[in-house]
Amino acid sequence: MYKGVLELALMSLLEDGAQYGLKILDSLREGAGLDLAEGTLYPLLHRLEKAGLIAAEWRHEASASHPRKYYGLTPAGTAELKDQSETWLDMTTRLNRFLTRRRP
Amino acid sequence: MSDPTEAWLRTLSHSLRDLPVKTQTDIQAEVRAHLADRREQGFSAEQALKGFGDAAVFARRFRADVTFDEALAQTHWRDLLAGLLSAIGRSVTAAIALVSAGLCALLAVRIAGLFGEKLGLLGAEPLPFVLPDIGFWIYPAYILLLFTLWLAARLSLKLAVTSLRMDPAQ
């Protein structure tokens, strides 16, 4: 389940615009509060890229001393994000209602 | 203390060797960029590497993703062969490990039988090799041998499962 949450949070982040690995890592840690390690993130990016949900390109920015690999959401990724978001929100709403059923 | 980055990257490079060349180059370049960014932020080499964990384990998470489909999508014969050898290698390792675990178990049963016979509990077929006559010490030797065989069988089974597991990160 955690893997699914990571994927969802990652795709949601990339919906705001393309990002490179380190920025994605820090944003997911700080923004989503996910305990994510480099050793988990990069293979996940690789897998999502292979699945066609995200696409990568190397960019050499003037502000950086080296090229960085940027990841952006593909149209297939956008559709997948919409599906997964709806499922997640529906599931958490139901679960929250169930878990708090005895509270006044 | 010396910088561990290059040694870590060498292990990574070695562990990625059966992936398509472009994938290897991409992963290494991305990791190098990440480490360089962290160093520029003031992290030490050890701190920057910490989140990646062991280089061989990190590489295995990518290697596990190399499927026949990916191999077939490659145009270069070397990449096709690398994908195929990776899959065969995993299966052969698992098969050898499984046979080894089975042999350990069989031998353990024979030795346990022999041990039982010494104690007058069981009858047993003689072993295919002769154990030295060491008097009373034969009993602890049997126990040590059985324990070693149990450990070897367990290790072999673990190796078989690990070699077949597609994604150790999951």
Side-chain angles (χ1 to χ4, degrees):
Chain A
M1 185 171 175
Y2 186 65
K3 190 186 135 224
V5 173
L6 279 182
E7 277 185 25
L8 181 58
L10 173 59
M11 288 193 293
S12 175
L13 177 73
L14 296 183
E15 197 182 23
D16 299 337
Q19 286 291 359
Y20 58 95
L22 188 142
K23 263 274 188 278
I24 294 171
L25 187 77
D26 289 345
S27 300
L28 290 178
R29 280 176 178 168
E30 290 156 20
L34 294 170
D35 182 21
L36 179 63
E38 287 87 338
T40 304
L41 175 69
Y42 286 104
L44 176 63
L45 287 168
H46 182 75
R47 195 161 49 241
L48 292 180
E49 188 187 353
K50 259 180 46 189
L53 300 176
I54 61 175
E57 63 165 346
W58 284 93
R59 294 184 194 169
H60 202 153
E61 299 155 310
S63 59
S65 59
H66 47 265
R68 289 168 174 151
K69 194 175 180 183
Y70 273 75
Y71 296 90
L73 214 52
T74 61
T78 307
E80 180 68 19
L81 172 64
K82 186 171 175 294
D83 275 359
Q84 283 196 26
S85 295
E86 281 170 9
T87 306
W88 174 260
L89 290 172
D90 182 49
M91 189 182 78
T92 49
T93 305
R94 286 162 188 259
L95 193 61
N96 280 339
R97 204 180 302 138
F98 177 75
L99 293 175
T100 56
R101 67 192 181 284
R102 289 196 198 93
R103 290 186 191 164
Chain B
M1 194 194 290
S2 63
D3 187 337
T5 308
E6 285 310 315
W8 192 93
L9 287 168
R10 269 197 303 279
T11 307
L12 177 67
S13 169
H14 179 76
S15 307
L16 291 171
R17 67 193 181 281
D18 51 2
L19 285 183
V21 175
K22 187 184 175 307
T23 309
Q24 289 181 43
T25 316
D26 245 31
I27 294 168
Q28 289 176 59
E30 189 171 29
V31 170
R32 278 186 184 278
H34 180 106
L35 294 174
D37 278 332
R38 282 295 192 221
R39 295 304 299 271
E40 283 170 18
Q41 289 174 348
F43 283 62
S44 69
E46 288 82 3
Q47 287 169 330
L49 283 171
K50 194 179 169 199
F52 286 98
D54 182 82
V57 174
F58 179 63
R60 203 155 59 224
R61 291 174 185 159
F62 292 97
R63 281 197 353 239
D65 278 341
V66 177
T67 60
F68 284 112
D69 287 343
E70 186 173 5
L72 285 170
Q74 305 301 321
T75 50
H76 199 286
W77 67 269
R78 200 172 50 188
D79 293 337
L80 271 166
L81 196 61
L84 187 63
L85 287 177
S86 167
I88 290 173
R90 282 203 300 267
S91 305
V92 169
T93 306
I96 291 172
L98 194 61
V99 168
S100 160
L103 287 176
C104 287
L106 278 176
L107 198 55
V109 167
R110 298 285 295 276
I111 287 175
L114 210 62
F115 190 28
E117 188 197 32
K118 276 264 179 200
L119 292 171
L121 300 173
L122 297 164
E125 293 286 318
L127 282 172
F129 52 88
V130 179
L131 286 172
D133 186 7
I134 51 173
F136 167 80
W137 288 103
I138 194 72
Y139 297 109
Y142 276 149
I143 292 170
L144 187 65
L145 203 53
L146 282 173
F147 182 67
T148 308
L149 285 168
W150 175 76
L151 275 183
R154 198 165 178 268
L155 197 67
S156 300
L157 280 180
K158 196 170 178 184
L159 178 65
V161 174
T162 308
S163 61
L164 284 177
R165 190 166 57 175
M166 288 307 289
D167 187 354
Q170 289 173 14

